[in-house]
Amino acid sequence: MADYQMKPVLQKPPGYRDPNMSSPPPPPPISQQPMRKAVPMPTSYRPKKKRRSCCRFCCCCICITLVLFIFLLLVGTAVFYLWFDPKLPTFSLASFRLDGFKLADDPDGASLSATAVARVEMKNPNSKLVFYYGNTAVEMSVGTGNDETGMGETTVNGFRQGPKNSTSVKVETTVKNELVERGLAKRLAAKFQSKDLVINVVAKTKVGLGVGGIKIGMLAVNLRCGGVSLNKLDTDSPQCTLNTLKWLNIQ
C-alpha cells in the first residue's frame, strides 16, 4: 500500500469572507417608537415656593420687640419703686354709734328705728403720691348671720387725699319703722343694752393714684370694716379689709 502524506490545513486570516457563501440577511430595522408628550403635573403636586426666610425674620422682630418691651417695663417699675417707695393706704373704723335706737311692737311684728353714725379713718403713708377716691356707696348693718339687720345706705362724694395725710370720713344712715321679726327684735335689744351688738360697715369705691399731677387709672375696691362688738370698739379701732380684683384681700 502506498502511504499518503496529509497536507497541513491553512488557517483563514481574520476578516476573511468565503465568496462561495451567501451573505447573511441584514438585521431587521429598529422600529422607532413615537415620543411621549410630558403630562403636566396637577397644581396640588407642584412644589410651593418657600418663604421661610421672611417668616423667620418676622418672628425674630416680634420676639425682639417683646423682649425689649418687657425689659423696659421692668426697668420702669424698678425705678418707680425705688424713687417713690409706694405704700397702700390704710383704713380703720374709728368709731360707731347708734342714735335713737328704738324697737317698738306693731300689729305685724316689731319696728326698728335708729341712726347709725360711723367714722372711718383713712391714711396715706406716701410722701410723694396722691390718692383719688371716687363716689363711695356705703352700707351699714348690725348683727351677724341670720340676725344681721340693715341700717340703711348712703353715698359719700369722692375726694383727693394728699401725701402724708390722714382723713376722717363721717358716714350716717337712718332707718325708720323698719319691720323686723319679734324674736329678732328681742335679741337685738338685748345685745344693744349689753353692747355686745356686732356692727358692720361695707363700702364700694374706686381708688386712683396721682404722680406729679398726673392721675393714673381708677381701680374698683371693696372695703369692709367692723365685725366687732360695740364694747370692743370703745377701746380699739379695728383695721378694715380691702378687697380688689375679686380675690385679693389686703388688711
Side-chain angles (χ1 to χ4, degrees):
M1 292 180 64
D3 293 332
Y4 292 93
Q5 188 176 1
M6 296 184 64
K7 295 182 180 180
V9 180
L10 297 176
Q11 294 183 355
K12 298 178 181 180
Y16 174 80
R17 183 177 296 177
D18 191 352
N20 296 324
M21 294 181 62
S22 60
S23 59
I30 300 175
S31 59
Q32 296 182 355
Q33 297 181 355
M35 297 289 292
R36 293 183 180 181
K37 296 183 178 179
V39 180
M41 296 179 64
T43 308
S44 58
Y45 289 94
R46 293 179 182 175
K48 296 181 180 180
K49 295 182 179 180
K50 297 181 180 180
R51 299 181 179 178
R52 294 182 180 177
S53 59
C54 182
C55 294
R56 289 178 181 176
F57 178 76
C58 294
C59 291
C60 291
C61 290
I62 294 174
C63 292
I64 292 173
T65 303
L66 288 175
V67 170
L68 288 176
F69 175 77
I70 295 174
F71 175 75
L72 293 176
L73 182 63
L74 293 175
V75 171
T77 303
V79 172
F80 178 84
Y81 270 85
L82 291 175
W83 180 258
F84 291 101
D85 189 20
K87 299 180 180 65
L88 293 173
T90 59
F91 306 88
S92 61
L93 185 59
S95 64
F96 187 97
R97 73 176 190 269
L98 292 171
D99 295 337
F101 189 85
K102 181 181 179 182
L103 288 164
D105 286 332
D106 286 343
D108 297 330
S111 62
L112 170 64
S113 298
T115 298
V117 181
R119 191 174 294 277
V120 179
E121 192 79 16
M122 311 167 68
K123 294 181 180 180
N124 180 5
N126 299 283
S127 59
K128 299 177 182 179
L129 300 177
V130 176
F131 287 115
Y132 293 92
Y133 295 91
N135 293 338
T136 305
V138 183
E139 297 180 3
M140 291 194 283
S141 64
V142 295
T144 58
N146 295 330
D147 288 348
E148 187 172 0
T149 304
M151 299 300 295
E153 58 185 33
T154 187
T155 301
V156 179
N157 294 330
F159 61 94
R160 175 186 178 276
Q161 187 178 30
K164 292 293 183 180
N165 179 267
S166 180
T167 304
S168 180
V169 179
K170 180 182 178 181
V171 183
E172 183 175 332
T173 61
T174 301
V175 291
K176 188 174 182 181
N177 297 328
E178 181 180 351
L179 291 176
V180 295
E181 184 187 358
R182 281 193 175 92
L184 175 60
K186 291 180 181 180
R187 291 191 295 271
L188 291 177
K191 291 183 178 181
F192 176 73
Q193 292 295 332
S194 63
K195 285 194 172 185
D196 197 27
L197 190 62
V198 176
I199 52 91
N200 305 287
V201 180
V202 178
K204 295 181 180 180
T205 187
K206 291 183 178 181
V207 182
L209 189 66
V211 180
I214 302 175
K215 189 176 180 180
I216 303 175
M218 297 292 283
L219 181 65
V221 298
N222 296 329
L223 190 67
R224 188 173 186 87
C225 306
V228 297
S229 58
L230 290 172
N231 54 9
K232 290 184 179 180
L233 193 60
D234 290 339
T235 58
D236 190 17
S237 296
Q239 294 290 321
C240 301
T241 300
L242 186 68
N243 174 271
T244 185
L245 302 177
K246 296 184 179 180
W247 58 271
L248 181 61
N249 293 323
I250 304 171
Q251 188 171 3

